[in-house]
Amino acid sequence: MEATKGPKREKGRKYQSATDVRTDAGSTTPPSPPPMMSRRKRLWSSFRNKARRLRGKTKERSNSAEFNRLSASQPNIASNGSAIKGDEFDAYFESSKARQRESSKERSMSDPTLTPQPSTRSVRISQSDHGMGDEAEVDSGIAVIEQTSTTPTSAEPTTRQRHNVFMEHPFFMLEVQLVEGRDLVIRDSCGTSDPYVKFKVGGKQVFKSRTVFKNLNPKWDERFSVAIEDIYKPVQIKVFDYDRGMHDDPMGGTEIELTTLELNKCTELRLKLSDSKTDYMGYLILNCTLIPKTQEDKEMYFKRSVRGSDTASKKMKMQIWSSVVTIVLVEGSNLVPMDDNGFSDPYVKFQLGKEKYRSKFKSKTLNPKWLEQFDLRMYDDQTSQLEMTVFDHDVTGKDDFMGRAVIDLAKLERECTHTICQNLEDGAGMVRLLLTISGTAGSETITDLANYTPNPRDREERVRNYGLLKSINNIKDVGWLQVKVFKAQGLRAADFGGQSDPFCVLELVNSRLQTHTEYKTLNPQWNKIFTFNVKDIHSMLEVSVWDEDRDKKVEFLGKLSIPLLRIKNGERRWYALKDKKLLHRGKGAILLEMDLIFNHIKSAIRTVNPLEEKYMQPEQKFKISIMKRNIDRVSQIISSMMEGGRFLQSCFNWESTPRSITAFIVYLVVVWNFELYMLPITLLILFLKNLVIAQILGAFKKEPVEDDYVDEDDDDDEDDKEKSVKKSDQKEEKKSFKEKLQAIQEVCLQVQQGMDMVASLGERVKNTFNWTVPWLSGLAVIILAVGTIVLYLIPLRLLLLAWGINKFTKKLRKPNAIPNNELLDYLSRVPSDSELLQYREYRPDLGGTTISKKKRQ
């Protein structure tokens, strides 16, 4: 029996030997045996006395620098059978502690062979070893333990205080600047990598950086912000190597412990990258700022986020993007050759945050012309860095990297079209594009009418800037146009449920601005104001209304074209919308107000110079209907010329004796007295005659008839049928036939365009003399009057000499000047009959009901 209890006593002895309990005099105070009591009472009494001692001890140790753990397995019993009081126990315990430190730091006094484990915690057991026997082993087993730390107590309030500060704020915004990476690992066979970085919070990706190609020390310099609800959850960062068409290779990861950041202070972090196999894979440099927010900020932020998610799930749209970046990719020049033949097949990839676009590739060229237009949406919480990367398209294998560039949109003026010639890095060539940041929503934007206050002094100053006295300054700046877009009414329903999501686009040649989107309405109210710099007074302001659909798709709702010279300043009026071809009445109307200021001398100089090329134009296709129409137009001009020839022939043939006699006398007088200055006088007489007819009779021209122009889309079905018939043939025969058909169509298209040019030229000359555009006809009269005076005063040989010197030396004086013909440039500003039909205005039907004319069958 004793042998069985031996190990238990030995174990109990070792626990008791952790601390020798002595009196102040150094001798152990033998406790008196406790009175006999029940087992349950002994357990409860032990637990109660231990708790009492710890409460008293905590008060005495509040200012000490280092704490230990105290565990009393049973109450100490004094020799007289009474329990030790609190003060006596403290002195008794402190003297015991002092003797223990003097004896040994790591070992027990009663058992030198017992070495406690190194720890910041300790457990002290006070127990009587007199008269307990086996009953000591049936102690309560409840150890009251106090945790202490070896760190100074001055650090504890700091940690507790930081915790309290974090708990005071229900919401945080973390602003991160991803600066660069250094010494990253190699993942490609060429000895480099194509790294990009992903940031995740709570397992959800919140940001993805752009890819830096072929660089082990990439520089991103990208910023983003993310909402933080639980500050004790770290932000996970992972770096990957981009591989086209394959799985991206990991390059290491790290974390941001948000609790280590100071509030409202930018902290630079150098985070080492690693994974389960490799401890060091380079490091990232970041600047992080943790900004606390209030409960109101939290509610506003998450209300917007939840509303945006509900919109996506319930298909109820709302504009959560801040702006629209419209890009026209024009051309590239001096790109790097990547193929064996000395050329490349370049295409461009654009990335703005999560928005991406890829252009078409152009085969075998180093100076491609893309002429593509697309939109990228900007969000408040994403980067403003527009990444542009050029690749060489390869049929097999990975596309070759040709160059890249980054455009900081934050430095560009909004609501203005910028012409950017962006040089690629490392001299890899140049890419030209047009970029506009527009479509901003909210009353805080500069384009909102709520923020606009008209100032008469500003307009007077602008009128002085475009006055005649400043005609020499900045010849290219012809004028200034302001357009107020108020609202639309009675639009066509494009979505299910009989509603639309309309937005309005304004285009002046290559300048393009747009309003925000009004959702679920046929009567939107935009209340926007836009300004344009006018480079040619003969340009057309195109106003179009579109319906926004999902996945950036849009649907046409209406359009109209307004010549700038027809604008009446300060007049607020409704304009009826037309169809896409501007030939037939559409549905709905739009309320506009415009103000135009321009310099007449600058406009006249610009008139005899080439037109500004509009990059985005509808592709010309061969259509039988267009060919027939152009043939009719040319036939009318030829018939007019033939009528003039028949009139002269009738005079020569004396078909009418009085007419022939009159023509003969006029011919003799003119030839006998003819001088060169009489030629412009004759044209002036013709202009004045038509002006009188226009002012008095009002029948100076024939209005183009709408039915004379057939919709160009009528023959689309016929073309599709011709193509579908060929599907049953063999592949080689089908390809050969397609090539022949395409060649025939190209030839027919050239003939069609040539006939259109001839017909338009004749119609422009007719409309010039008919005062169709009074400003242009007046300019012609002034030029003819000045020409008459010059021809009367200056000999012809001197004029021919001056004209020849100007033509021969123009290329030497202006190497970049475009060869032109001033007369043809002037006539290009005069509208043809087909253009006059497009500019014709309909009476707006504000009741929402329109009667459309049927197409001619």
Side-chain angles (χ1 to χ4, degrees):
M1 193 67 182
E2 291 295 325
T4 306
K5 295 183 180 180
K8 292 185 179 181
R9 291 198 181 98
E10 182 67 16
K11 181 178 180 182
R13 190 191 68 79
K14 289 184 179 182
Y15 278 100
Q16 295 173 21
S17 66
T19 302
D20 285 344
V21 183
R22 302 173 184 270
T23 63
D24 294 340
S27 61
T28 304
T29 304
S32 60
M36 299 299 293
M37 61 182 68
S38 64
R39 182 183 182 91
R40 182 176 301 176
K41 290 182 179 180
R42 287 202 304 273
L43 292 174
W44 172 249
S45 177
S46 174
F47 175 73
R48 184 177 54 187
N49 289 324
K50 284 185 286 185
R52 185 182 298 118
R53 291 192 191 97
L54 287 177
R55 285 197 301 269
K57 189 62 180 178
T58 302
K59 296 179 182 179
E60 297 296 330
R61 294 187 304 175
S62 58
N63 296 326
S64 63
E66 186 175 349
F67 296 103
N68 294 321
R69 180 177 299 171
L70 177 62
S71 175
S73 60
Q74 68 177 26
N76 283 334
I77 307 298
S79 58
N80 56 359
S82 63
I84 300 176
K85 303 298 182 181
D87 296 339
E88 297 175 357
F89 179 81
D90 292 340
Y92 174 84
F93 188 76
E94 288 296 324
S95 61
S96 175
K97 261 200 322 184
R99 281 190 295 273
Q100 181 182 2
R101 286 195 300 267
E102 293 174 2
S103 174
S104 176
K105 294 182 179 180
E106 299 290 340
R107 297 184 179 275
S108 174
M109 296 177 63
S110 59
D111 189 357
T113 62
L114 181 63
T115 302
Q117 297 295 330
S119 174
T120 60
R121 303 174 181 178
S122 62
V123 180
R124 298 181 180 238
I125 304 175
S126 177
Q127 180 180 350
S128 176
D129 53 358
H130 175 73
M132 296 299 295
D134 295 341
E135 293 182 357
E137 299 177 12
V138 294
D139 192 22
S140 64
I142 303 174
V144 181
I145 300 173
E146 180 183 1
Q147 278 190 345
T148 60
S149 175
T150 56
T151 58
T153 56
S154 59
E156 272 196 353
T158 304
T159 305
R160 188 178 299 109
Q161 183 179 3
R162 288 174 60 86
H163 174 73
N164 293 335
V165 171
F166 290 150
M167 296 302 293
E168 289 176 359
H169 302 284
F171 177 57
F172 297 86
M173 288 297 296
L174 177 64
E175 296 182 354
V176 181
Q177 179 188 9
L178 176 60
V179 182
E180 59 181 331
R182 295 181 183 175
D183 199 20
L184 301 186
V185 293
I186 298 173
R187 285 291 183 261
D188 295 339
S189 57
C190 58
T192 60
S193 296
D194 306 323
Y196 66 91
V197 187
K198 287 183 178 181
F199 291 80
K200 292 185 178 182
V201 176
K204 181 180 179 181
Q205 179 176 318
V206 295
F207 179 76
K208 178 182 177 181
S209 73
R210 59 183 174 86
T211 303
V212 179
F213 294 92
K214 298 181 180 180
N215 202 328
L216 298 180
N217 298 289
K219 294 184 178 181
W220 288 284
D221 194 18
E222 298 186 20
R223 300 175 183 267
F224 70 95
S225 59
V226 59
I228 302 295
E229 286 188 274
D230 189 356
I231 199 171
Y232 295 100
K233 288 184 179 180
V235 178
Q236 298 178 351
I237 304 176
K238 293 184 179 180
V239 185
F240 293 91
D241 170 61
Y242 173 76
D243 287 331
R244 181 177 300 277
M246 302 174 63
H247 181 70
D248 293 348
D249 300 324
M251 299 178 63
T254 184
E255 291 181 346
I256 301 177
E257 290 292 343
L258 301 179
T259 55
T260 61
L261 301 179
E262 297 187 18
L263 299 181
N264 295 316
K265 183 178 181 181
C266 183
T267 305
E268 181 180 282
L269 301 179
R270 294 175 179 259
L271 304 177
K272 185 181 71 170
L273 299 173
S274 62
D275 59 10
S276 58
K277 298 181 180 179
T278 308
D279 292 335
Y280 179 75
M281 304 178 72
Y283 63 95
L284 300 177
I285 301 179
L286 299 89
N287 292 328
C288 299
T289 306
L290 190 63
I291 303 175
K293 298 292 184 179
T294 62
Q295 183 68 26
E296 296 179 357
D297 296 334
K298 179 179 180 180
E299 292 176 357
M300 291 180 61
Y301 180 85
F302 286 101
K303 182 178 179 181
R304 185 181 65 177
S305 302
V306 171
R307 186 169 52 182
S309 61
D310 292 342
T311 297
S313 60
K314 297 181 181 180
K315 300 181 181 179
M316 296 176 60
K317 306 171 187 175
M318 65 172 296
Q319 179 170 319
I320 59 176
W321 38 267
S322 59
S323 302
V324 175
V325 181
T326 302
I327 299 175
V328 178
L329 179 59
V330 182
E331 60 183 354
S333 60
N334 301 323
L335 300 183
V336 180
M338 303 299 293
D339 297 337
D340 296 336
N341 55 9
F343 295 99
S344 297
D345 305 322
Y347 67 89
V348 187
K349 293 180 67 176
F350 292 86
Q351 182 172 355
L352 178 62
K354 296 181 180 180
E355 299 281 312
K356 297 180 181 180
Y357 178 81
R358 171 177 171 171
S359 71
K360 299 178 181 178
F361 70 90
K362 298 297 180 179
S363 300
K364 297 181 180 180
T365 178
L366 299 180
N367 301 288
K369 291 187 178 181
W370 289 286
L371 296 180
E372 299 183 28
Q373 178 177 315
F374 57 94
D375 294 336
L376 299 175
R377 293 175 180 173
M378 288 185 65
Y379 297 85
D380 292 330
D381 55 351
Q382 77 172 17
T383 178
S384 62
Q385 302 288 329
L386 175 64
E387 179 185 358
M388 181 174 58
T389 313
V390 185
F391 290 92
D392 171 58
H393 174 74
D394 290 331
V395 179
T396 59
K398 183 178 179 180
D399 293 348
D400 299 323
F401 172 77
M402 297 178 62
R404 66 177 295 273
V406 177
I407 301 174
D408 189 1
L409 301 182
K411 298 179 180 179
L412 299 180
E413 181 183 358
R414 300 202 171 196
E415 309 298 341
C416 177
T417 300
H418 305 271
T419 301
I420 300 176
C421 296
Q422 183 65 43
N423 293 320
L424 302 178
E425 295 178 356
D426 302 327
M430 184 270 292
V431 175
R432 184 182 182 189
L433 51 89
L434 303 179
L435 192 148
T436 307
I437 306 176
S438 185
T440 53
S443 59
E444 71 278 0
T445 59
I446 60 174
T447 60
D448 195 84
L449 276 175
N451 298 331
Y452 174 73
T453 303
N455 190 349
R457 295 183 179 179
D458 293 341
R459 194 180 190 283
E460 293 175 359
E461 180 66 23
R462 193 168 285 110
V463 170
R464 286 194 295 268
N465 292 335
Y466 290 103
L468 297 178
L469 297 179
K470 295 187 178 181
S471 300
I472 304 177
N473 300 335
N474 196 1
I475 295 296
K476 294 183 179 181
D477 186 12
V478 173
W480 173 84
L481 173 65
Q482 182 185 78
V483 183
K484 298 178 182 178
V485 184
F486 294 99
K487 57 184 178 179
Q489 187 171 341
L491 299 179
R492 180 174 61 87
D495 296 338
F496 293 105
Q499 299 293 334
S500 295
D501 305 320
F503 65 94
C504 181
V505 176
L506 290 84
E507 295 180 89
L508 185 65
V509 193
N510 291 316
S511 298
R512 184 183 188 275
L513 300 175
Q514 74 176 62
T515 68
H516 63 281
T517 303
E518 291 287 333
Y519 293 95
K520 300 299 180 184
T521 179
L522 298 180
N523 304 299
Q525 294 189 3
W526 295 292
N527 293 323
K528 293 291 182 179
I529 181 171
F530 301 101
T531 58
F532 295 89
N533 291 325
V534 179
K535 300 178 182 179
D536 192 344
I537 196 60
H538 310 289
S539 303
M540 305 297 159
L541 176 65
E542 296 182 357
V543 182
S544 56
V545 182
W546 302 83
D547 170 68
E548 179 187 330
D549 291 333
R550 302 181 66 185
D551 302 328
K552 299 184 182 178
K553 295 181 180 179
V554 294
E555 186 173 351
F556 177 80
L557 295 179
K559 185 178 181 180
L560 67 131
S561 183
I562 305 173
L564 297 186
L565 289 173
R566 291 189 181 182
I567 292 177
K568 296 181 180 179
N569 291 339
E571 181 184 15
R572 183 182 302 185
R573 53 170 296 190
W574 288 92
Y575 291 86
L577 297 176
K578 298 183 181 181
D579 62 353
K580 189 174 291 188
K581 302 297 180 182
L582 297 173
L583 298 178
H584 307 286
R585 179 191 292 270
K587 187 175 182 180
I590 187 170
L591 182 61
L592 303 175
E593 180 182 333
M594 289 168 281
D595 189 11
L596 176 65
I597 302 173
F598 67 97
N599 183 281
H600 290 271
I601 295 179
K602 292 181 181 180
S603 301
I605 296 174
R606 189 71 182 86
T607 301
V608 293
N609 282 277
L611 276 170
E612 181 183 0
E613 179 186 3
K614 185 175 182 180
Y615 296 120
M616 299 308 300
Q617 293 183 353
E619 183 181 358
Q620 297 292 333
K621 295 182 180 180
F622 172 72
K623 299 290 177 59
I624 297 177
S625 60
I626 302 178
M627 176 68 81
K628 291 179 180 178
R629 188 180 68 186
N630 292 340
I631 291 175
D632 294 338
R633 293 167 63 193
V634 173
S635 299
Q636 291 177 3
I637 296 175
I638 294 176
S639 62
S640 300
M641 296 174 63
M642 292 180 65
E643 287 180 4
R646 283 195 294 267
F647 176 81
L648 292 177
Q649 190 65 31
S650 65
C651 293
F652 295 151
N653 293 336
W654 292 82
E655 296 179 359
S656 175
T657 302
R659 183 173 58 190
S660 298
I661 293 175
T662 304
F664 182 63
I665 294 174
V666 170
Y667 175 76
L668 292 177
V669 173
V670 169
V671 171
W672 182 258
N673 298 290
F674 178 78
E675 294 290 343
L676 191 61
Y677 65 86
M678 296 181 180
L679 184 60
I681 291 178
T682 305
L683 297 177
L684 282 174
I685 294 173
L686 185 59
F687 271 105
L688 294 177
K689 183 200 79 169
N690 290 334
L691 178 61
V692 171
I693 295 175
Q695 296 295 330
I696 299 177
L697 301 179
F700 64 97
K701 67 173 183 175
K702 176 186 176 183
E703 282 286 346
V705 182
E706 181 180 354
D707 292 339
D708 292 342
Y709 297 88
V710 184
D711 199 336
E712 300 176 2
D713 295 333
D714 291 343
D715 297 327
D716 287 343
D717 297 337
E718 297 179 4
D719 296 341
D720 296 337
K721 291 179 181 178
E722 291 179 2
K723 294 180 180 179
S724 62
V725 170
K726 309 305 175 184
K727 291 183 179 179
S728 59
D729 298 338
Q730 296 180 359
K731 293 183 179 180
E732 295 181 359
E733 294 178 358
K734 178 180 177 182
K735 183 177 180 181
S736 176
F737 182 79
K738 276 189 174 181
E739 292 176 353
K740 293 179 180 179
L741 180 62
Q742 184 177 1
I744 295 173
Q745 287 181 346
E746 290 178 356
V747 174
C748 294
L749 179 61
Q750 293 178 0
V751 175
Q752 171 184 302
Q753 293 176 345
M755 296 185 67
D756 178 71
M757 183 179 65
V758 174
S760 298
L761 182 61
E763 293 170 353
R764 295 178 196 277
V765 173
K766 177 195 68 174
N767 293 330
T768 301
F769 286 96
N770 289 342
W771 292 80
T772 301
V773 182
W775 195 91
L776 284 171
S777 299
L779 178 62
V781 170
I782 295 174
I783 293 175
L784 290 175
V786 173
T788 301
I789 298 174
V790 170
L791 289 174
Y792 182 78
L793 298 176
I794 301 176
L796 179 61
R797 61 178 178 273
L798 295 179
L799 296 176
L800 293 177
L801 185 63
W803 177 83
I805 292 174
N806 175 64
K807 286 295 182 180
F808 277 101
T809 60
K810 185 175 183 179
K811 198 67 177 179
L812 299 176
R813 291 182 284 109
K814 299 179 180 179
N816 298 325
I818 302 175
N820 68 309
N821 185 291
E822 287 78 5
L823 180 59
L824 294 179
D825 290 335
Y826 170 84
L827 291 176
S828 66
R829 268 65 174 195
V830 183
S832 62
D833 288 349
S834 60
E835 292 173 342
L836 287 176
L837 182 64
Q838 295 177 351
Y839 306 153
R840 186 173 63 175
E841 298 180 4
Y842 291 96
R843 183 176 181 180
D845 189 357
L846 301 181
T849 58
T850 57
I851 303 175
S852 59
K853 295 184 179 181
K854 296 182 180 179
K855 297 179 186 179
R856 193 181 71 176
Q857 302 295 332

